Amino acid sequence: MDPAPDLAPTRISTRDLPSRDRSAVVREVLGRKVLRLEIENLPDQTYHADLNVQPLAGIKIVSGHITGGVARRTRDLRSDGNDDVAVAFSLSGQFVATQRNEACSIRPGDAYFGSTGEDISFLHLRNEMTTLFLSRSELAALVPGLEDKFGRSFRVQSAPVRLLRHYVSAFAQPFSLEPELAASVATHIYDLVALAAGAARDVAEIASCRGLRAARLQAIKTDIAATLTRQSLSVEAIAARHCLTARAVQRLFESEGGTFTAFVIRQRLALAHRRLSDAGFAHHHISTIAYDCGFGDISHFNRLFRRRYGASPSEVRAAAA
């Protein structure tokens, strides 16, 4: 379901539309132009969507909340010749996908594989989801028997499915990426989708060393960001949560030319800098901010901060006042 050639990263919300124009805009713009789907309200409900549309080096990522509607890839819309592979995740709530006369209820975390070259529909009561649209020909070169995968769900217990969901979430917001980075991210996504769907052996070996590694590292970085202020944050704790050894985590950071410790320190310093520049934290002592950002030694914090920003914490605070 390729977007129009000039479609830029976009946020679309039906709640921003005037009531009198909502149905027409949803049907013609969001449905037929952007998503290439026929959208209908469910009985006694009004379709609402708050979506981010992120084109990414030939992939399209659509993510957000959808309520009260059915979206169908009808015969008329299929005349555009598009035959992408749709990989849809439920992040919260459930949706029902139907293809080849089989309905499949997709639970939070699971993924659904479908083809936009065939009749397909998605029924949404109230759920949050992310859908990838990928080139069928590119994916078919990686996955033997791709045609047999359509209309099936893949469970979140699968490591590639779980890591794919987390990896894509980092790039689902509408913003522009440098072409080189976008191409790299797209390659990693294809790797992960291929692994989830059953890649050929030689492809799986490459994908495991490339896309799977990138996704694991991204998931770990997200975990670090969520636990950055904890004094107990350690490589051992992170490794245990991701079912890896501490050495395996270290190797992931080394693949980028860095270390786990250096990454954590940079993130903690950045958090401290944001708080010192924020008037909302003006009544907090600098030592309190340092401790709350995970630093146990104020002298060590001051040295690291000056080395990183070329100014002391107090100077940064004064400049922001």
Side-chain angles (χ1 to χ4, degrees):
M1 297 181 189
D2 292 334
D6 59 347
L7 184 67
T10 306
R11 178 183 176 273
I12 300 172
S13 176
T14 58
R15 300 185 191 279
D16 297 335
L17 302 173
S19 298
R20 65 183 181 184
D21 300 328
R22 184 175 295 149
S23 295
V25 173
V26 166
R27 179 183 174 87
E28 298 300 329
V29 179
L30 176 59
R32 294 182 172 180
K33 182 178 179 181
V34 177
L35 300 179
R36 300 296 294 160
L37 293 167
E38 194 73 41
I39 296 174
E40 301 174 1
N41 293 332
L42 289 176
D44 301 320
Q45 296 192 46
T46 300
Y47 179 88
H48 283 295
D50 292 287
L51 300 174
N52 294 315
V53 181
Q54 175 69 52
L56 185 72
I59 295 174
K60 185 168 71 174
I61 305 173
V62 180
S63 61
H65 295 82
I66 302 177
T67 302
V70 177
R72 293 188 174 90
R73 179 77 168 148
T74 60
R75 181 191 297 270
D76 179 54
L77 290 173
R78 294 200 307 275
S79 65
D80 63 7
N82 184 287
D83 64 349
D84 281 349
V85 175
V87 183
F89 293 94
S90 174
L91 305 182
S92 66
Q94 296 187 39
F95 67 90
V96 178
T98 302
Q99 187 155 58
R100 298 179 177 178
N101 296 317
E102 291 191 17
C104 191
S105 181
I106 308 302
R107 303 175 302 178
D110 292 346
Y112 180 82
F113 275 45
S115 167
T116 66
E118 305 174 17
D119 184 70
I120 188 171
S121 70
F122 299 94
L123 184 153
H124 306 279
L125 294 176
R126 182 184 299 273
N127 71 286
E128 181 183 5
M129 67 183 297
T130 295
T131 304
L132 309 175
F133 298 102
L134 306 100
S135 165
R136 185 173 187 154
S137 60
E138 288 193 40
L139 199 56
L142 305 176
V143 181
L146 179 65
E147 301 288 327
D148 298 331
K149 313 293 182 181
F150 298 144
R152 292 174 50 190
S153 64
F154 292 79
R155 299 305 180 192
V156 71
Q157 288 84 354
S158 162
V161 172
R162 186 175 65 253
L163 289 169
L164 173 64
R165 181 168 60 89
H166 286 297
Y167 187 68
V168 169
S169 68
F171 302 98
Q173 297 301 311
F175 62 92
S176 297
L177 295 176
E178 292 296 326
E180 185 175 347
L181 176 57
S184 178
V185 171
T187 296
H188 296 156
I189 290 173
Y190 273 104
D191 286 343
L192 290 165
V193 172
L195 286 170
R201 179 175 297 179
D202 57 337
V203 172
E205 291 176 358
I206 296 172
S208 294
C209 294
R210 187 174 55 192
L212 199 61
R213 180 177 63 192
R216 285 192 189 280
L217 183 55
Q218 182 61 48
I220 287 170
K221 287 180 177 180
T222 300
D223 194 350
I224 290 171
T227 57
L228 199 58
T229 60
R230 298 180 188 175
Q231 295 287 335
S232 59
L233 174 60
S234 68
V235 66
E236 290 79 13
I238 290 288
R241 283 201 292 275
H242 292 264
C243 301
L244 298 170
T245 64
R247 182 62 193 133
V249 172
Q250 295 284 17
R251 282 198 296 268
L252 286 172
F253 283 93
E254 289 168 4
S255 71
E256 286 193 329
T259 67
F260 173 87
T261 300
F263 179 81
V264 171
I265 288 174
R266 284 198 306 273
Q267 297 305 305
R268 283 176 164 169
L269 287 172
L271 178 60
H273 189 280
R274 290 195 298 273
R275 291 186 177 183
L276 288 166
S277 303
D278 186 343
F281 287 87
H283 64 288
H284 289 223
H285 291 296
I286 290 176
S287 58
T288 300
I289 289 177
Y291 183 80
D292 288 347
C293 291
F295 294 96
D297 185 318
I298 187 63
S299 297
H300 184 54
F301 165 72
N302 286 331
R303 287 195 299 272
L304 292 173
F305 192 94
R306 180 179 284 278
R307 187 183 307 159
R308 176 71 173 166
Y309 296 106
S312 68
S314 58
E315 289 169 340
V316 168
R317 168 169 275 178

